[in-house]
């Protein structure tokens, strides 16, 4: 099977990769061996032309008239998304959002594992351990723990006013990827990958489309 072409794929396509992976995993669990673009599109909620266009960025993933081999595509996307080995992740900020994510069982769905969490040194939860065995440390220990724990990925759930400061600390400690829940744009070195999750914006977008349907 051909692999990803050298040209960067569109961001919209990149955001759908995990959806494709999830669908192929589901198909495989249902013992479906072949799937066409229409079946994939209906499972995700997009049109089949978008599926074919997305897949075209990765070369020949299937054959016209034969559809896509479910198991091969499942393994292809697993490799593409680095879901073939455990990825250690840390959480910074154990407020309401951070605590919710601490108890979210990422490892039951994908090979991602929350291995440690951090907050301000005087936070009441610092020094405790969650029911899943995740230790919560003070922010002053980040560099030491990151380097000893083989962690390059962080989920950032701190107040907006502190997001840039904390993100800079993470980068200095060796973090290469940040999933940021704070509604601010972070200024970080180009080699650091940042993804933003703005729940308020997503909810407002939902309400907008709900309003359009009523009109």
């Amino acid at each position: 099977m051909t692999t990803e072409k050298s040209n960067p794929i569109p961001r919209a396509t990149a955001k759908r990769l995990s959806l494709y992976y999830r669908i192929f995993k589901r198909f495989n669990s249902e013992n479906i061996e072949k799937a066409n673009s229409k079946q994939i599109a209906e499972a995700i909620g997009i049109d089949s032309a978008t599926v074919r266009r997305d897949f075209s960025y990765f070369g020949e993933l299937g054959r016209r008239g034969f559809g896509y081999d479910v198991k091969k595509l499942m393994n292809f996307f697993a490799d593409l998304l680095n879901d073939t080995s455990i990825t250690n992740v840390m959480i910074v900020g154990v407020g309401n959002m951070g605590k919710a994510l601490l108890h979210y069982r990422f490892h039951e769905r994908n090979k991602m594992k929350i291995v440690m969490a951090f907050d301000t040194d005087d936070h009441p939860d610092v020094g405790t351990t969650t029911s899943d065995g995740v230790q919560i440390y003070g922010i002053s220990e980040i560099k030491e723990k990151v380097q000893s724990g083989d962690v390059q990925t962080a989920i950032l759930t701190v107040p907006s006013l502190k997001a840039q400061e904390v993100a800079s600390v993470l980068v200095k400690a060796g973090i290469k990827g940040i999933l940021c829940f704070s509604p601010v744009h972070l200024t970080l070195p180009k080699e650091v990958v940042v993804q933003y999750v703005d729940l308020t914006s997503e909810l407002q977008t939902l309400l907008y489309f709900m309003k359009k349907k009523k009109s």
Side-chain angles (χ1 to χ4, degrees), residues 177-208:
I178 297 174
L179 181 65
C180 181
F181 279 82
S182 302
V184 293
H185 180 77
L186 302 176
T187 302
L188 298 172
K190 291 182 179 180
E191 63 269 20
V192 178
V193 180
V194 182
Q195 278 285 111
Y196 296 94
V197 180
D198 188 338
L199 296 179
T200 300
S201 177
E202 293 296 332
L203 181 56
Q204 288 175 330
T205 301
L206 170 66
L207 296 176
Y208 166 75

Side-chain angles (χ1 to χ4, degrees), residues 12-111:
T13 297
K15 293 181 73 172
R16 284 190 287 270
L17 297 182
S18 62
L19 297 178
Y20 290 130
Y21 180 39
R22 186 186 308 164
I23 291 304
F24 281 113
K25 284 202 297 183
R26 195 192 84 193
F27 285 166
N28 185 65
S29 69
E30 296 172 353
N31 297 315
I32 298 172
E33 296 182 356
K34 299 282 185 181
N36 58 39
S37 57
K38 182 180 179 182
Q39 290 172 298
I40 299 166
E42 289 177 348
I44 295 177
I46 57 178
D47 60 85
S48 56
T50 298
V51 172
R52 292 191 295 270
R53 184 171 61 251
D54 285 348
F55 285 9
S56 72
Y57 292 106
F58 303 98
E60 290 293 331
L61 297 185
R63 292 173 57 194
R64 184 179 294 275
F66 289 87
Y68 300 95
D69 185 302
V70 167
K71 193 167 186 177
K72 286 185 178 179
L73 267 291
M74 179 184 72
N75 292 333
F76 173 78
F77 284 107
D79 184 63
L80 198 65
L81 295 166
N82 196 33
D83 200 45
T84 55
S85 59
I86 296 293
T87 297
N88 291 333
V89 181
M90 55 184 270
I91 291 178
V92 183
V94 290
N96 292 334
M97 176 64 72
K99 285 181 179 176
L101 292 171
L102 265 176
H103 294 288
Y104 185 82
R105 296 182 176 272
F106 291 95
H107 61 280
E108 292 182 357
R109 298 164 179 84
N110 298 90
K111 293 186 177 179

Side-chain angles (χ1 to χ4, degrees), residues 145-196:
K145 298 300 180 182
V146 166
Q147 292 177 349
S148 64
D150 188 27
V151 185
Q152 294 187 329
T153 309
I155 299 176
L156 188 61
T157 60
V158 301
S160 300
L161 291 175
K162 290 289 184 179
Q164 179 63 57
E165 178 186 344
V166 175
S168 297
V169 171
L170 293 177
V171 172
K172 288 180 181 178
I175 293 298
K176 301 298 182 184
I178 297 174
L179 181 65
C180 181
F181 279 82
S182 302
V184 293
H185 180 77
L186 302 176
T187 302
L188 298 172
K190 291 182 179 180
E191 63 269 20
V192 178
V193 180
V194 182
Q195 278 285 111
Y196 296 94

